[in-house]
């Protein structure tokens, strides 16, 4: 087992195997999890985190790949985290439909990781932020977080990004789908991909209408742009990057970036604390203390609420490492 | 607002409105929740709790009603808790398909309550045991807990009963369904209802085979009986009561009853503690402490695990009442 500080130093140098190892350590809740997280902390905060969401078929993977190319042309180091909330599989291997990513497989300036969250204690809220921290500390300038699945988890992923990109495509009834899924509220930048197809203008118009972009806004408010792309041919992708940079600049100017990162950190701490406390209580099964409390409840000597008080009193030692450690 | 001790005294006297009021207090997580639970504690432990589970269509409601009649003939006070994990509706009103229960609506020795658990913080584990405690303290000799829905929650309900009855009916492929749902492992007594229909013997045989009842067991082990009933005509219901009493006697003889009640109390305390801690952490949103921790994470001064430690340190005051109180 390599020591954590040398792994972190290697990751910082852009060595992909060190990055992979660190993500595995934080993802698997290894005994070194806490040590890794402590070592990463001072190195984080440099990366710009962009979330990409959208229904299957809109070209998310292709768009992500095109964005990677665009950022690479700017000489930026890029991390890609493909999160699949429905898959039990995790690791460095690319998912079946993510073939386009192989364009970047040999580029040392790009780190690609797929991550499964099903079955994770604490789910997305727990697993994804830790991998983002590794990529951030490893010196990625931009981290693209792409959800592979659909649904509520997209909103959760978006809450972990600095900027959220919502992708749509013509003729998929996406406008309505997006509205249903609550996606419309989370987009900072909207992309109508496959814009060479019939109906792209209609989709953009519908979106424009649904977002109320024609209406007047408070001065200084962010007006989400709608960018049309043909990601498979790289068309419009530089415009997406420009829209992202514009949003980032706007967030910095208005203190929104700091606010979002603060909210993200709060969310992260909360998820860790809840997970740890739940595990700790679970660990008490068969424990003498819980048994004694249960006996007193059965005998009518104590009510369950007072017993819960006593149980919680016993939980004030520092938290143990990750989930695996206490399992 | 009536004071809690007089409500408890009235419930103890069998006044249905007092029982209803107490259940509403514990179910709705009122400010008096803790006071009620403390007042009930010394009065509990007298009731025999029987869980009834089975797929829709096996005649659960009819069987429950028939069991109520049988216990009433013995002069016992009976409480019925109909738990519907999928319904947002709760209260004293009978559910649509529970018309049979109206046979007992005017009987002062019977208390019937339907309970919804969807959306409940902590779900079944949190809500049902508290209502059971009220019925127990109110002097019910027997409490029948019937699940209206299906699925995993049935197993959870069963874990809260002293004795679990699994109901089946001929020709429904119930054997296989039951096996799938994990119900086969939870039955202490099996009932093949609608035994006047074709296939009742086949269902009983299949069940007998699946349960391995033909195989030899350790001396003193419980061998779950299979009772055939036609609940709508009251046939076989006295045999079910006999089987229940036999199981109860066996549990008392082997220390199993105390063991089950201890496990149930542990489970209950755990659910209350987890719910309370989760709420308490949720309450910290916008709190100065969480904000300060988040700032230190964003600046790289602190990692989220150390921050979670500090957060948990701040959670050591006695638990507040129920969910409503802290919401």
């Amino acid at each position: 087992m390599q020591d954590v500080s040398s792994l972190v130093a290697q990751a910082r140098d852009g060595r992909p195997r060190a990055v992979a190892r660190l993500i595995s350590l934080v993802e698997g809740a290894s005994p070194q999890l806490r040590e890794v997280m402590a070592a990463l902390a001072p190195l984080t905060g440099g990366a710009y985190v962009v979330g990409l969401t959208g229904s299957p078929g809109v070209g998310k993977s292709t768009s992500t790949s095109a964005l990677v190319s665009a950022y690479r042309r700017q000489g930026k180091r890029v991390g890609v985290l493909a999160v699949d909330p429905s898959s039990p599989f995790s690791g460095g291997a690319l998912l079946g439909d993510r073939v386009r990513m192989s364009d970047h497989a040999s580029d040392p300036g790009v780190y690609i990781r797929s991550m499964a969250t099903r079955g994770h204690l604490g789910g997305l809220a727990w697993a994804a932020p830790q991998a983002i921290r590794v990529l951030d500390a490893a010196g990625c300038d931009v981290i693209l977080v792409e959800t592979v699945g659909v649904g509520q988890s997209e909103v959760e992923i978006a809450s972990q990004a600095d900027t959220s990109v919502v992708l749509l495509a013509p003729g998929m009834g996406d406008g309505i789908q997006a509205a249903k899924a609550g996606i419309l509220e989370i987009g900072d930048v909207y992309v109508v991909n496959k814009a060479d197809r019939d109906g792209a203008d209609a989709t953009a118009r519908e979106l424009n209408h649904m977002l109320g972009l024609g209406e007047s806004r408070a001065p200084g408010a962010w007006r989400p742009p709608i960018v049309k792309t043909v990601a498979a041919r790289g068309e419009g992708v530089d415009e997406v990057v420009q829209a992202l940079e514009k949003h980032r600049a706007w967030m910095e100017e208005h203190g929104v970036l700091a606010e979002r990162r603060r909210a993200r950190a709060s969310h992260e701490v909360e998820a860790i604390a809840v997970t740890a406390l739940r595990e700790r209580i679970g660990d008490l099964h068969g424990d003498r203390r819980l048994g004694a409390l249960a006996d007193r409840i059965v005998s009518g000597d104590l009510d369950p609420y007072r017993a819960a008080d006593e149980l919680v009193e016993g939980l004030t030692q520092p938290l143990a490492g990750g989930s695996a450690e206490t399992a």
Side-chain angles (χ1 to χ4, degrees), chain A:
Chain A
M1 178 67 67
Q2 257 177 311
D3 77 288
V4 167
S5 60
S6 91
L7 264 180
V8 170
Q10 287 171 29
R12 199 93 184 123
D13 283 347
R15 307 257 296 264
R17 290 187 55 188
V19 176
R21 183 87 193 101
L22 285 172
I23 294 186
S24 296
L25 285 175
V26 299
E27 196 185 36
S30 78
Q32 282 111 325
L33 170 61
R34 293 179 67 101
E35 197 189 341
V36 171
M37 295 304 276
L40 296 179
L43 307 173
T44 56
Y48 174 47
V49 182
V50 177
L52 291 107
T53 62
S55 306
V58 296
K60 252 184 302 186
S61 178
T62 311
S63 297
T64 303
S65 182
L67 278 172
V68 171
S69 300
Y71 276 117
R72 288 302 292 146
R73 283 195 294 274
Q74 296 183 7
K76 295 199 167 150
R77 285 180 66 191
V78 184
V80 176
L81 195 63
V83 181
D84 186 350
S86 65
S87 166
F89 301 108
S90 200
L94 299 178
L95 303 177
D97 64 342
R98 312 198 69 264
V99 183
R100 294 237 146 231
M101 280 300 162
S102 60
D103 296 354
H104 307 288
S106 60
D107 181 346
V110 181
Y111 188 83
I112 300 167
R113 177 84 173 200
S114 61
M115 171 175 253
T117 56
R118 195 177 70 175
H120 249 297
L121 278 161
L124 285 177
W126 187 84
Q130 319 214 52
I132 292 173
R133 283 181 171 274
V134 172
L135 294 172
D136 186 355
C140 288
D141 300 297
V142 179
I143 300 170
L144 304 173
V145 183
E146 177 199 340
T147 41
V148 176
V150 265
Q152 204 46 41
S153 52
E154 301 205 329
V155 178
E156 204 172 342
I157 282 293
S159 75
Q160 290 164 1
D162 295 324
T163 298
S164 286
V165 178
V166 173
L167 288 114
L168 300 95
M172 297 184 63
D174 271 286
I176 296 144
Q177 281 180 31
K180 272 192 193 156
I183 284 184
L184 271 193
E185 282 124 62
I186 64 172
D188 300 304
V189 171
Y190 291 85
V191 172
V192 177
N193 189 33
K194 305 185 179 178
D196 53 343
R197 293 199 186 167
D198 284 348
D201 288 332
T203 298
R205 263 198 313 276
E206 187 192 355
L207 188 58
N208 192 72
H209 176 71
M210 289 177 78
L211 293 170
L213 292 180
E215 298 157 25
S216 60
R217 305 209 157 201
W222 176 252
R223 188 184 292 266
I226 300 173
V227 184
K228 282 186 264 184
T229 62
V230 185
R233 294 201 301 259
E235 293 173 21
V237 177
D238 286 335
E239 286 75 8
V240 176
V241 171
Q242 282 162 27
L244 292 174
E245 291 306 318
K246 212 172 144 189
H247 184 246
R248 182 188 190 165
W250 175 85
M251 286 196 295
E252 280 174 349
E253 192 188 340
H254 291 83
V256 175
L257 188 60
E259 190 44 58
R260 287 194 177 185
R261 289 184 173 182
R262 196 154 40 227
R264 200 161 78 208
S266 295
H267 192 59
E268 203 178 340
V269 172
E270 213 188 305
I272 292 169
V274 169
T275 303
L277 286 168
R278 182 182 280 277
E279 282 167 358
R280 220 190 261 182
I281 289 174
D283 286 346
L284 294 181
H285 265 299
D287 183 278
R288 222 161 9 101
R289 278 172 300 172
L290 184 56
L293 290 172
D295 282 338
R296 291 175 60 199
I297 294 171
V298 171
S299 72
D301 178 37
L302 194 70
D303 74 83
Y305 280 83
R306 209 112 30 112
D309 286 348
E310 293 196 20
L311 194 64
V312 168
E313 295 300 317
L315 296 178
T316 57
Q317 305 90 336
L319 296 179
S323 45
E325 201 173 343
T326 54

